[in-house]
Amino acid sequence: MFTSRIAGIGHHVPDRIVTNDDLSQLMDTSDDWITERTGIKERRFFDHTQDTVGNMGAKAAKMALERANLKTSDVEFIVFATITSDYYFPGSGVLLQRELGLEGIGAMDIKNACSGFIYATSVADQFIKTGMYKTILVVGAEIQSTALDLSDRGRSTAVIFGDGAGAIVLQRSEEKNKGVLSSHLHADGRFAEELYVKDPGSSRPHEERQADVITKTSGFKVHMNGNLVFKHAIVKFHEVILEALEANNSSINDIDLLIPHQANLRISSYIQDKLGLTDEKVYNNIMHYGNTTAASIPIAMSEAWQEGKIKEGTLLCIAAFGSGFTWASALIRF
C-alpha cells in the first residue's frame, strides 16, 4: 500500500495590497468595522496586466517544486482547485499545464470553493495510493476581486475576499503512518444559494442570459447569507476535525498544528476555543490576505512551513467549510 507525502509547499500572492482604509474610500466602512467582524486588515488584489489564475498557480507550483528538490518534468498529473478560472471553459488546470510546459499530462479542475483544496488533495492522494501516479501537483488559486461589488450594497462580502495561489507537491512514499493519513469530504446542496455567484449560469432562457452578460447585473456578484454560513460553519468545522481524529485513533492533544480555511477570524477563534487549542497550535493569516477561497489553506501551509511551524513529524490537520455547502478535513503527518 502506497502513501502520499507532501514533498514541497509554495505560494504566490499579487503585489497590490488593499487595506481596510483603501476600501473605506469606496464604500461606507472602516478599519474598525472590518477588523471587528472578520479579523482582516488587508488583502491582495490582482494586476490585470500581469496576474492570471493560471500563472499565479504556476508561480506557487514552482516554489513548491523547488522546495521539494524536484524538476517540473517530474510532475505526472495536475489537480487544480478554483472557482474563478481564467475562462468560463476550459478550466485553469490546462493553463497551468501550459505555463509549466507539461503538455500531455492530465489536468483536472475541482470547483468546490473554500473546500476545494482539500477535495483536490484527497483526489490526488487516491491516485497516488492506487499506484496510478508518483508525483502530483495540487494547486488552489483564485482571482475574486473582479466579482466583488465594491459599493455600499456589496460591502458585507467585498471586504472579505482576496486573490492568491498556493500549491503542494504530493509524492508516492512507502513510509507507513506518514503523509496524508485520511481525508473526509461532505456536502449539503440544500444550501447552495446561500453562498454563490449566479452568473454566467446556463439554466436560463437564451435572451435572459445574454441580457445578463451584456448588462453585468448583480448575478455576477457574490451573494452570501452571512449569518447562516457562520452558524453552519462553526458546527461543521468542529465535526469534521473530530471525524479526522477519530478515524486515526487520535485526540485533540495529538494535533501539532491546525490550519483552518481562512474564512473569518471569528470562526477560527470559535473553533480554537471549542477544541481547547493554544494559539501556538492554530495558524491564521487571514489578517494579511482575507479569504482566498481554494488558495487559503495552501498559502497558510506555505507560510507556516517557512516559519518552522511545519517540520518533520508534525501532525497537521486542515479543515474547510464553504459554498455548496461543502466541508472537509484531512490529517497529515510530515
Side-chain angles (χ1 to χ4, degrees):
M1 179 72 177
F2 298 118
T3 60
S4 58
R5 70 182 185 92
I6 296 179
I9 317 172
H11 72 284
H12 175 79
V13 293
D15 294 333
R16 181 186 173 195
I17 298 172
V18 179
T19 67
N20 292 344
D21 288 334
D22 292 332
L23 292 182
S24 72
Q25 305 302 309
L26 303 173
M27 63 189 77
D28 183 15
T29 191
S30 68
D31 176 59
D32 289 343
W33 190 90
I34 298 170
T35 303
E36 179 184 349
R37 285 161 178 78
T38 68
I40 300 166
K41 302 296 288 186
E42 61 188 32
R43 71 286 293 146
R44 302 297 179 99
F45 280 5
F46 89 123
D47 178 344
H48 75 275
T49 66
Q50 63 183 28
D51 299 317
T52 68
V53 172
N55 72 27
M56 289 196 303
K59 290 173 182 176
K62 288 174 181 177
M63 179 186 289
L65 287 163
E66 182 178 339
R67 289 172 171 176
N69 294 316
L70 293 172
K71 303 184 298 294
T72 303
S73 58
D74 292 322
V75 177
E76 299 171 305
F77 194 75
I78 292 168
V79 188
F80 199 115
T82 184
I83 56 169
T84 59
S85 54
D86 292 303
Y87 304 130
Y88 184 61
F89 68 85
S92 288
V94 295
L95 304 182
L96 170 63
Q97 180 217 59
R98 183 174 67 188
E99 290 272 352
L100 297 177
L102 290 171
E103 288 77 7
I105 73 166
M108 173 188 293
D109 285 72
I110 301 288
K111 196 176 181 180
N112 282 77
C114 300
S115 303
F117 177 77
I118 301 180
Y119 269 74
T121 299
S122 180
V123 169
D125 176 50
Q126 301 308 311
F127 275 136
I128 288 176
K129 285 177 175 174
T130 61
M132 189 168 182
Y133 297 112
K134 293 180 180 178
T135 305
I136 299 179
L137 194 57
V138 182
V139 176
E142 308 282 5
I143 290 176
Q144 302 177 122
S145 53
T146 51
L148 302 178
D149 184 351
L150 298 174
S151 70
D152 291 349
R153 183 179 61 180
R155 68 173 181 167
S156 62
T157 55
V159 302
I160 295 172
F161 295 98
D163 306 336
I168 61 171
V169 180
L170 273 186
Q171 196 164 49
R172 182 190 296 176
S173 173
E174 295 185 9
E175 281 193 87
K176 297 187 183 299
N177 301 316
K178 275 203 168 185
V180 180
L181 303 180
S182 67
S183 54
H184 309 271
L185 313 177
H186 300 278
D188 191 339
R190 293 176 300 168
F191 302 98
E193 289 78 24
E194 302 300 338
L195 175 51
Y196 81 130
V197 174
K198 181 179 179 180
D199 290 306
S202 61
S203 57
R204 282 173 295 291
H206 176 78
E207 295 79 8
E208 179 183 330
R209 188 172 181 225
Q210 293 300 310
D212 285 346
V213 171
I214 292 168
T215 60
K216 296 186 179 179
T217 64
S218 60
F220 285 86
K221 305 302 181 183
V222 178
H223 166 81
M224 180 171 67
N225 183 341
N227 288 336
L228 187 68
V229 171
F230 186 92
K231 289 176 182 177
H232 279 74
I234 58 176
V235 172
K236 298 305 182 183
F237 255 116
H238 185 250
E239 288 179 354
V240 81
I241 291 168
L242 295 183
E243 180 182 1
L245 292 170
E246 183 178 350
N248 293 279
N249 297 312
S250 299
S251 71
I252 292 295
N253 293 331
D254 294 321
I255 293 178
D256 294 308
L257 190 65
L258 169 67
I259 298 182
H261 163 59
Q262 304 295 293
N264 186 309
L265 192 58
R266 290 167 57 211
I267 293 175
S268 297
S269 297
Y270 181 93
I271 298 304
Q272 177 181 341
D273 290 343
K274 194 165 185 178
L275 294 173
L277 293 171
T278 63
D279 290 345
E280 291 72 27
K281 288 196 169 189
V282 181
Y283 191 86
N284 290 296
N285 62 358
I286 190 172
M287 57 287 294
H288 303 301
Y289 303 118
N291 179 348
T292 55
T293 307
S296 87
I297 288 177
I299 291 173
M301 287 174 64
S302 180
E303 292 200 327
W305 182 86
Q306 285 179 184
E307 296 170 22
K309 296 180 182 295
I310 295 176
K311 49 188 178 293
E312 183 77 16
T314 294
L315 184 63
L316 170 69
C317 183
I318 56 177
F321 176 91
S323 175
F325 289 151
T326 63
W327 59 101
S329 67
L331 202 62
I332 303 163
R333 173 76 71 182
F334 280 80

